[in-house]
Amino acid sequence: MIIGVLAAQLSSYAVWTSQVRSSQLEQLDELSQNVAYSVASTMRFFRSLPFEYRHIVLDQLRNMGGTRFFVSVNERRIPVEDIGSGEEKALVVGNFRSILERELSIDDVLVEFSRAETLRVYNNEVLLHDLPPRWGQHSLLMEPLSPPILVVQLELEPGTWLYVATLLPVADLFNEYRWLSGERLLAGLMVLLTVIGLSLLGIRGVTRPLARLSRAARQLGDDLDAPPLRESGPREVMATAMAFNRMQERIRAQVDERERLFSAISHDLKTPITRMRLRAEMLDDPLQRERFCASLDELDLLVKGALASVKGFDLHEPVEEIDPGHVLEELAEGLRLQGGEVSIQGQAKPLAVKPLAFKRCLANLLENAVFYGRRAEVLLEDGASRLAITIRDHGPGIPEGQRERVFSPFVRLEPSRSRNTGGSGLGLGIARHIARALGGDIGLDNHPEGGLRVRVTLPRMQDITGL
């Protein structure tokens, strides 16, 4: 838009200045021709006077003052510091020479321009400013303006030069032409700022609903219970907001239905599993009894894992400031009672999170580290903008090509993460979902000395309203 406005401004100025320049040249052409005819008449008059009368007429002109031309008769040509250049000067000089040569039948006519400060007017080359005001300053000075003075000299006869000086009342005749003057730049800047300001107001009014829609789309995965979008703005934006609200309602209904379905399945499966376990205990063959009970335990674990998965994605709780180190110590103490080894290093300031979700995320990671890697080493690295928690185990690690796959539900890697060792393959997926819902993420890599290293990063400065 800025480029478009600037292009329009430059184009309009190009057309305008071209027209103005053409008009100025036409006016200058007409003015210079009129003055040239007047100078030709003056010179013709002086040429017609007898020699002895010329000085009498000049004295009368000086005494009168305020005449249009300054005229003197000199013994030689007076040197003039010629000034000016460009199309304007060429036009004026060409008009004067052609008219004077045509009117006076003279081929040798000197036409020059001079500044008033350097103009010399007599045989003794006296400066114009040194003359009495009535002798020529009234006719050649136009204060406070300082237009250039046109000087025409021609030889009347050998040893006699007629000197005529006059003004062309054009103050900036030889000033360097500036296509973009200060006034034009200021006007262009004002127009540009006005157009851009009004455009920004209009664009902001159009894009504000889009910004709300973008924020709502980012928050949709974290908070399905967020209030619906305001269905306002341009027609297309309003239609999009309406479609988004309908989509959010359908997703919320589907998630609620999924939770009810899993809860009902897990609840309904508990009774037959318990009944089958009682019957398995009554089997006479110890080997068959043991295998049957192991299969029922695995089935019960899968049911509990599915229910835990559904509950793990539920983050409907208020945000509170908690001490990450204290949470880790509580989890570590519980694992130590079960025979696990957990060491914690580093400290961290309180962090604004959803407490139960945060605790569940760390619990899943610590349990995995202790269960599959024998012991866990935890390192807290606190900063002004983020908190990093690194958990290292001493297990076999995970191949690089499998590190994203383990976050998928019900995925266990052989041999250390087999069904025979327990687990449902949901812990890492739930932990990553919680970390991302809290504005952070989880990454995996293998420690150079062996074992898996899990790094949890959580931001301190975050918009927690959408969680």
Side-chain angles (χ1 to χ4, degrees):
M1 183 171 294
I2 293 176
I3 294 174
V5 172
L6 287 176
Q9 289 284 91
L10 293 176
S11 300
S12 63
Y13 276 134
V15 175
W16 180 75
T17 52
S18 176
Q19 294 177 347
V20 170
R21 186 170 177 79
S22 176
S23 176
Q24 289 177 344
L25 289 176
E26 291 178 1
Q27 294 176 0
L28 182 62
D29 181 47
E30 181 179 359
L31 175 63
S32 61
Q33 290 186 34
N34 292 335
V35 176
Y37 281 112
S38 298
V39 171
S41 299
T42 302
M43 289 185 167
R44 187 183 301 109
F45 170 71
F46 271 89
R47 289 178 66 184
S48 64
L49 291 175
F51 178 79
E52 59 273 12
Y53 285 102
R54 292 173 182 173
H55 292 284
I56 298 174
V57 173
L58 289 176
D59 290 337
Q60 291 178 348
L61 290 176
R62 296 190 193 102
N63 292 330
M64 291 172 57
T67 58
R68 185 174 183 182
F69 303 110
F70 177 88
V71 184
S72 66
V73 178
N74 306 310
E75 297 176 354
R76 57 186 174 85
R77 173 181 174 272
I78 306 298
V80 175
E81 295 183 14
D82 195 20
I83 63 171
S85 61
E87 187 177 359
E88 291 84 356
K89 180 178 180 179
L91 175 65
V92 173
V93 172
N95 286 339
F96 265 83
R97 283 179 176 171
S98 62
I99 292 175
L100 293 179
E101 291 174 0
R102 184 174 63 253
E103 294 292 324
L104 302 177
S105 300
I106 299 178
D107 297 333
D108 187 16
V109 178
L110 296 176
V111 181
E112 300 167 297
F113 283 92
S114 174
R115 294 187 182 91
E117 298 82 3
T118 61
L119 181 63
R120 301 180 183 277
V121 293
Y122 289 121
N123 287 324
N124 57 1
E125 300 185 6
V126 64
L127 292 173
L128 174 65
H129 284 285
D130 295 336
L131 294 177
R134 63 184 179 85
W135 280 31
Q137 293 188 24
H138 292 308
S139 58
L140 298 181
L141 296 179
M142 188 184 295
E143 297 181 351
L145 302 177
S146 57
I149 298 175
L150 176 67
V151 179
V152 180
Q153 300 183 73
L154 59 86
E155 191 176 19
L156 297 178
E157 54 195 41
T160 303
W161 284 78
L162 180 62
Y163 178 104
V164 179
T166 186
L167 284 177
L168 286 179
V170 181
D172 57 349
L173 179 61
F174 297 140
N175 289 347
E176 183 178 354
Y177 182 73
R178 294 182 298 170
W179 190 74
L180 284 178
S181 62
E183 295 81 2
R184 295 172 188 171
L185 285 175
L186 179 60
L189 181 62
M190 292 178 62
V191 172
L192 180 63
L193 292 178
T194 302
V195 172
I196 296 301
L198 294 177
S199 301
L200 285 177
L201 290 177
I203 294 173
R204 191 174 181 182
V206 173
T207 57
R208 188 180 292 113
L210 293 177
R212 290 198 302 265
L213 180 62
S214 176
R215 288 194 300 269
R218 289 194 302 268
Q219 298 171 3
L220 181 61
D222 303 327
D223 188 6
L224 288 175
D225 294 325
L229 288 174
R230 189 171 54 192
E231 298 175 356
S232 61
R235 182 174 55 194
E236 294 80 4
V237 175
M238 183 170 61
T240 305
M242 293 175 62
F244 185 87
N245 290 336
R246 303 296 90 75
M247 179 189 68
Q248 182 177 0
E249 291 176 1
R250 290 194 297 269
I251 294 176
R252 187 188 299 118
Q254 292 174 2
V255 170
D256 292 342
E257 183 65 25
R258 186 197 66 172
E259 293 180 358
R260 287 194 297 269
L261 176 62
F262 272 83
S263 298
I265 291 175
S266 62
H267 180 272
D268 293 344
L269 285 177
K270 287 180 181 179
T271 300
I273 290 175
T274 303
R275 189 183 304 118
M276 294 174 67
R277 179 174 286 109
L278 290 175
R279 292 179 179 178
E281 293 293 340
M282 298 173 63
L283 292 176
D284 296 332
D285 187 346
L287 181 59
Q288 293 295 332
R289 183 172 59 248
E290 183 180 353
R291 290 179 176 177
F292 204 93
C293 289
S295 297
L296 290 175
D297 290 340
E298 184 177 351
L299 179 60
D300 185 51
L301 186 62
L302 288 174
V303 172
K304 291 180 179 178
L307 184 60
S309 174
V310 175
K311 292 182 178 179
F313 294 154
D314 185 10
L315 301 181
H316 303 292
E317 59 172 317
V319 175
E320 300 178 9
E321 283 198 349
I322 63 170
D323 185 354
H326 181 68
V327 174
L328 287 168
E329 285 291 348
E330 286 185 354
L331 296 173
E333 185 64 27
L335 292 173
R336 292 188 190 107
L337 294 177
Q338 301 175 16
E341 298 182 23
V342 180
S343 62
I344 302 175
Q345 295 181 352
Q347 296 180 346
K349 297 178 181 179
L351 182 69
V353 292
K354 296 188 174 183
L356 295 179
F358 178 69
K359 186 174 182 179
R360 183 174 179 80
C361 173
L362 296 181
N364 287 353
L365 298 177
L366 286 175
E367 290 172 0
N368 279 354
V370 172
F371 192 78
Y372 299 115
R374 295 188 297 276
R375 69 178 186 271
E377 298 173 359
V378 183
L379 176 62
L380 288 170
E381 298 175 288
D382 200 4
S385 60
R386 65 181 181 86
L387 170 66
I389 303 174
T390 304
I391 303 174
R392 178 201 171 189
D393 63 34
H394 291 265
I398 298 177
E400 185 176 357
Q402 300 289 333
R403 289 173 191 168
E404 284 298 320
R405 183 169 171 262
V406 296
F407 288 106
S408 301
F410 303 106
V411 172
R412 287 169 294 270
L413 302 181
E414 297 294 346
S416 62
R417 287 166 170 79
S418 65
R419 294 184 184 273
N420 296 329
T421 61
S424 58
L426 294 169
L428 285 177
I430 294 174
R432 171 178 272 190
H433 175 83
I434 293 174
R436 289 181 173 177
L438 295 175
D441 203 354
I442 294 180
L444 304 178
D445 67 338
N446 291 332
H447 195 275
E449 298 179 2
L452 180 67
R453 186 164 52 187
V454 181
R455 185 175 180 84
V456 183
T457 56
L458 295 172
R460 285 196 171 276
M461 299 297 181
Q462 61 176 321
D463 181 11
I464 59 176
T465 57
L467 297 179

